[in-house]
């Protein structure tokens, strides 16, 4: 009796250990071994094993096997439906077989080949969310007696534990993968594409200033990637694990901007029902990016100057000076020196925000980046739309490389997105890039032609682009142009379109 009690106590200890493991899942293989060993000991079985079902091969393989032949048996694989384990894995029903010799499902080759005499077997499925992922089985009692109904019940409990552990481990694996994917996606979202000397130079300067706290002013036309550069500075600098807060100074009128930047105390004004933390405070220890700073009103300019000089600020309606440690990066597409000269922008503030100045070159001054960027954006939009075979035609690429891109990379990104949506899904053609429509000549738009000649020229060109769009399919082209197919054929003959 005493012996039995110590056994139970040690089993309980093991179960407690298992519960702790199941909820944390540090090492799945060790945990599964522990579960099977404990089950074996509790039921006093001769051997036991855990088999996993590989859904691809439809085979069961031994993950854990105890007993004197435990190591030998691991080399075997069992087909789904084969033997008792295969039967349970296929049907999902637990089985108890007191005498295997009497059961036609018994697959004796394995136990014979390893020389393991078997009398009785109990086998139960492991399920995760109703799906069978494997089985657990035990063979005979150590004292030679047969496995009983109550053993089957105990075995089921352990099989559930094992299934739970496997389910948890898979979920953690899945979540980890998802986090990595998201991180990569985020990284690629902020990746700066381009090999031009001009871009490389500004990036290497940015990396140099990243380690310091010097205020940095990024100049450049709109859409050149100023915000992207600011993110790079934050990301490679010592503040990378703290937030980078973005504020667009042009988007808000002065009072709202002040509220956004500094926050307010409860009751600061009607409607201020609770304290609000402003962006400067949110950016503490991190970076604040003041976009379009050139649009800031004179009143806001003085308030910003004060926080830069003193390193403290006041919430609206508050009288407590709040210290912050914030790295300030600003950007503008305006000619800010001119604004200073004209008195629109405070000179003292300008010097404060402009300790380091970086200039983003416009796209037309780094045309060698255009093709790279085009392929990069095409990749992104292809993934989003699942049109994996889409390519950019040479004609369209030539046009893009020659175009001046007044809206820079933002314009290009938008143009490509539109081309992917509107195009034929196989090739991006010049006419899918409407940004250029205004730079290409309308056919027939010249003085000296009659109206009829001009419209004929236009019609011919119009039909050509529609046919190209449908890869020569006349029915579809006619449908797009809302004319009869027969009429289209007549026009094709008339204008000699090939
Ligand atoms: N070199 C680049 N590589 C990849 N994407 C870029 C690059 N430059 C700009 N972009 C993208 O173009 C858009 C405009 O960039 P942004 O940084 O907002 O420009 P700005 O702040 O100068 O107006 C954004 O979607 C940005 O991700
Ligand atoms: Mg911007």
């Amino acid at each position: 009796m005493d012996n039995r009690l110590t056994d139970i106590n040690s089993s309980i200890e093991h179960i407690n250990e298992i519960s702790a493991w199941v909820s944390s899942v540090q090492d799945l293989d060790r945990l599964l071994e522990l579960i099977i060993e404990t089950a074996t000991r509790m039921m006093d079985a001769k051997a036991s094993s855990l088999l996993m079902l590989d859904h691809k091969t439809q085979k069961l393989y031994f993950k854990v096997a105890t007993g004197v032949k435990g190591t030998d048996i691991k080399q075997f694989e069992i087909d789904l439906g084969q033997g008792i384990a295969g039967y349970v894995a296929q049907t999902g029903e637990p089985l108890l077989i007191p005498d295997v010799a009497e059961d036609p499902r018994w697959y004796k080759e394995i136990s014979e080949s390893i020389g393991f005499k078997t009398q009785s077997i109990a086998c139960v499925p492991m399920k995760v969310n109703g799906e069978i992922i494997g089985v657990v089985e035990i063979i005979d009692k150590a004292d030679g007696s047969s496995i009983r109904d109550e053993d089957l019940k105990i075995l089921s409990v352990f099989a559930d534990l094992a299934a739970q552990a496997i389910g948890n481990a898979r979920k953690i694996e899945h979540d980890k993968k998802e986090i990595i994917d998201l991180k990569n996606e985020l990284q690629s979202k902020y990746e700066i594409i381009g090999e031009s000397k001009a871009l490389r130079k500004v990036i290497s300067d940015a990396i140099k200033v990243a380690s310091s706290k010097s205020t940095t002013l990024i100049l450049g036309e709109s859409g050149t990637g100023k915000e992207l550069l600011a993110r790079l500075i934050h990301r490679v600098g010592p503040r990378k694990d703290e937030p980078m807060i973005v504020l667009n100074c042009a988007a808000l009128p002065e009072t709202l901007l002040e509220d956004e930047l500094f926050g307010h105390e409860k009751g600061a004004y009607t409607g201020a029902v609770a304290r609000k933390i402003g962006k400067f405070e949110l950016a503490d220890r991190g970076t604040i990016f003041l976009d379009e700073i050139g649009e800031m009103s004179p009143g806001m300019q003085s308030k910003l100057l004060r926080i830069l000089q003193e390193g403290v600020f006041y919430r609206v309606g508050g009288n407590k000076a709040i210290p912050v440690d914030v790295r300030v990066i600003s950007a503008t597409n305006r000619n800010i020196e001119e604004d200073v000269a004209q008195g629109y922008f405070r000179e003292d503030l300008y010097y404060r925000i402009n300790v380091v100045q970086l200039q983003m070159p416009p796209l037309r001054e780094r045309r060698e980046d255009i093709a790279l960027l085009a392929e990069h954006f095409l990749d992104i939009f292809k993934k989003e739309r699942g049109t994996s075979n889409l390519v950019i035609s040479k004609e369209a690429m030539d046009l893009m490389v020659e175009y001046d891109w007044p809206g820079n990379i933002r314009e290009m990104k938008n143009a490509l997105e539109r081309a992917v949506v509107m195009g034929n899904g196989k090739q991006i053609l010049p006419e899918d890039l409407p940004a250029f429509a205004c730079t290409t000549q309308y056919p027939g738009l010249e003085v000296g032609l009659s109206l009829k000649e001009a419209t004929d020229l236009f019609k011919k060109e119009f039909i050509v682009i529609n046919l190209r769009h449908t890869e020569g399919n006349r029915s579809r082209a006619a449908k797009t142009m809302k004319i009869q197919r027969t009429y289209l054929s007549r026009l094709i003959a008339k204008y000699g379109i090939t």
Side-chain angles (χ1 to χ4, degrees), residues 118-294:
T118 302
Q119 168 76 28
S120 59
I121 285 191
C123 184
V124 298
M126 291 187 294
K127 294 182 186 173
V128 171
N129 302 325
E131 188 197 340
I132 300 169
I133 58 162
V135 302
V136 179
E137 63 180 11
I138 55 167
I139 297 176
D140 295 340
K141 292 285 208 181
D143 63 8
S145 64
S146 270
I147 308 232
R148 292 181 292 268
D149 265 346
E150 66 211 61
D151 297 315
L152 190 68
K153 280 190 198 131
I154 299 175
L155 191 62
S156 297
V157 172
F158 281 98
D160 285 349
L161 264 181
Q164 219 186 87
I166 296 165
N168 283 350
R170 285 186 181 170
K171 173 139 189 350
I172 289 171
E173 218 27 64
H174 176 262
D175 289 354
K176 262 193 205 151
K177 200 182 154 294
E178 201 166 83
I179 288 171
I180 291 171
D181 285 353
L182 280 173
K183 264 195 183 154
N184 287 341
E185 200 183 315
L186 212 63
Q187 191 106 59
S188 68
K189 194 174 154 197
Y190 294 133
E191 196 184 350
I192 303 182
I193 303 292
E195 293 296 334
S196 61
K197 236 178 153 176
L199 184 70
R200 291 289 124 200
K201 170 86 173 86
V202 73
I203 288 177
S204 80
D205 288 349
I207 291 172
K208 268 184 225 152
V209 306
S211 58
S212 76
K213 200 190 160 184
S214 315
T215 62
T216 304
L217 177 62
I218 306 173
L219 300 179
E221 290 176 15
S222 117
T224 47
K226 296 186 294 296
E227 181 171 341
L228 224 49
L229 193 72
R231 289 192 185 278
L232 174 78
I233 295 172
H234 177 73
R235 198 170 62 229
V236 303
R239 296 168 176 255
K240 62 176 190 298
D241 296 323
E242 304 294 335
M244 165 162 151
I245 305 287
V246 177
L247 183 69
N248 186 322
C249 305
L252 299 168
E254 180 170 340
T255 47
L256 284 182
L257 185 62
E258 184 179 6
D259 190 76
E260 278 293 299
L261 264 186
F262 305 131
H264 60 240
E265 292 295 349
K266 182 176 172 178
Y269 43 81
T270 344
V273 290
R275 170 188 288 172
K276 172 177 167 174
I277 303 298
K279 298 219 158 168
F280 252 104
E281 214 172 333
L282 290 174
D284 193 20
R285 304 159 65 97
T287 304
I288 195 162
F289 176 57
L290 301 172
D291 202 4
E292 305 200 38
I293 196 165

Side-chain angles (χ1 to χ4, degrees), residues 371-415:
L372 272 177
L373 280 160
E375 296 293 351
H376 169 72
F377 291 132
L378 182 70
D379 267 355
I380 294 176
F381 297 132
K382 271 192 331 199
K383 265 191 211 125
E384 277 177 20
R385 316 217 134 243
T387 47
S388 51
N389 294 323
L390 187 62
V391 295
I392 301 174
S393 70
K394 182 170 182 315
E395 294 81 1
M397 189 63 98
D398 288 349
L399 264 181
M400 283 196 277
V401 173
E402 278 160 34
Y403 181 61
D404 269 348
W405 298 109
N408 293 291
I409 297 141
R410 179 176 297 114
E411 181 186 4
M412 179 170 182
K413 192 174 171 183
N414 293 340

